[in-house]
Amino acid sequence: MSAAQAITIPDDLVDCLRSARHVAVLTGAGISAESGVPTFRDALSGLWAKYRPEVLATPEAFVRNPGLVWEWYTWRRELVRTVQPNEGHRALARLADRFETFTLITQNVDGLHQRAGSREVIELHGNLARVKCFEQGHIIADWQEDGTVPPRCPRCQGRLRPDVVWFGEALPEAGLAAAFAAASDCDVFFAIGTSGLVHPAADLPLAALRAGRPVVELNPEPTPLSRRCTYQLRGNSGAILPVLVAALG
Ligand code: BV8
């Protein structure tokens, strides 16, 4: 029996989706795992094995060792360049066309949803492909790797950093407000591939539950959210999401 054949989507969830006007989805690192992008829960590999992401992804780490932090993001950026979106990303891009309103919210900074064809993506934690200067915040689309690590801002000569939200930094206000509005307005909320440990993103499914919306968790492992979810789809997003799209006919 193939993996897809073993997956069944509860009939009442399919019925709920068939009558849904607005579906909201929050994704985490798990949806990119099948593309070969290590999740935050995975132990970092190779050179980075001795570092913890929660420590490296901070302004303090950058101030302490800007070169190390810059190189970590260069390694991740180059890794993401070599991978492809997987069936889970592509299924979400197809799912968006099935509803009047579809809000895709991601904690990921890899840009794989957009490469899979998703158009409007709320990137709560920024995107690796963009950089800005640490001192003035100028967003820099193209920068010169001239051997200076980190490279300097062409506008103010400040040190360049990735345009991502580090621990201890505020999330983009507009994106966060839109995400919470979607959590309260949607007919169904999906939490896909997230351990639900990082706030305020982890509060989004709880906001949906508080608004009386059904929450579907898609994850091979249980999380702190699991016991409060309306539905739990246990498995890999790359296997389950195409089955879910097919079940909608
Ligand atoms: C802020 C970008 C305030 C950088 C990231 C309340 C309670 C407790 C703590 C806090 C709180 N409020 C704030 C905090 C502090 C902190 C926080 O949450 N700490 C945690 C660790 C306790 N939050 C912050 O600092 C946030 N900022 O609150 O600022 C503020 C306000 C005003 C002014 C100033 C300040 C900022 C948080 C954002 C940090 N940046 N990323 C970068 O990427 O380098 S977080 C980063 O880690 C990711 O973006 C992601 O959000 C998180 C990892 O979580 P997941 O995505 O869930 O991934 P994870 O690896 O954990 O889990 C993967 C899951 O996938 C697993 O469950 C696994 O089973 C599953 N899986 C595996 N394979 C598959 C799969 N699922 C499906 N299919 C598969 N095939």
Side-chain angles (χ1 to χ4, degrees):
M1 174 166 39
S2 74
Q5 287 163 335
I7 298 165
T8 52
I9 309 295
D11 290 342
D12 52 350
L13 173 57
V14 175
D15 293 343
C16 181
L17 287 168
R18 283 201 175 122
S19 61
R21 170 192 50 83
H22 181 183
V23 167
V25 176
L26 171 69
T27 62
I31 196 162
S32 296
E34 291 160 272
S35 293
V37 181
T39 70
F40 269 62
R41 297 308 119 206
D42 292 337
L44 288 178
S45 59
L47 171 64
W48 306 105
K50 57 181 177 287
Y51 299 101
R52 288 177 51 233
E54 293 82 22
V55 172
L56 279 180
T58 63
E60 295 76 16
F62 186 82
V63 169
R64 199 169 43 247
N65 192 335
L68 176 75
V69 174
W70 177 265
E71 293 293 2
W72 181 45
Y73 283 92
T74 300
W75 174 73
R76 291 172 64 189
R77 198 175 296 116
E78 285 166 4
L79 171 74
V80 166
R81 272 201 202 108
T82 65
V83 304
Q84 296 301 321
N86 63 60
E87 282 309 309
H89 295 107
R90 280 194 279 273
L92 286 181
R94 293 198 303 275
L95 204 57
D97 299 334
R98 317 296 294 271
F99 303 101
E100 185 185 316
T101 306
F102 185 85
T103 307
L104 179 54
I105 307 152
T106 191
Q107 299 172 85
N108 301 339
V109 296
D110 56 31
L112 289 178
H113 283 302
Q114 292 92 325
R115 285 173 55 193
S118 291
R119 287 179 298 281
E120 293 170 49
V121 183
I122 298 176
E123 294 181 311
L124 289 180
H125 297 157
N127 190 308
L128 274 178
R130 286 192 311 269
V131 300
K132 63 183 180 183
C133 68
F134 187 73
E135 280 70 15
Q136 304 278 335
H138 299 127
I139 299 287
I140 307 296
D142 298 305
W143 65 91
Q144 295 304 319
E145 295 280 1
D146 58 4
T148 314
V149 177
R152 292 290 164 163
C153 171
R155 293 177 56 184
C156 70
Q157 290 313 301
R159 293 164 298 179
L160 292 183
R161 56 160 286 182
D163 186 19
V164 298
V165 178
W166 280 332
F167 288 100
E169 293 185 324
L171 276 65
E173 271 183 40
L176 192 57
F180 275 100
S184 306
D185 175 69
C186 68
D187 298 304
V188 186
F189 189 96
F190 283 84
I192 300 173
T194 182
S195 59
L197 298 174
V198 172
H199 295 263
D203 302 326
L204 286 166
L206 304 181
L209 287 169
R210 280 196 297 274
R213 297 343 195 205
V215 171
V216 185
E217 178 177 64
L218 195 169
N219 197 316
E221 306 291 334
T223 72
L225 182 67
S226 299
R227 61 185 174 75
R228 304 181 59 173
C229 283
T230 321
Y231 300 96
Q232 293 175 27
L233 303 178
R234 279 278 166 267
N236 292 334
S237 44
I240 292 178
L241 287 172
V243 174
L244 181 86
V245 172
L248 291 179

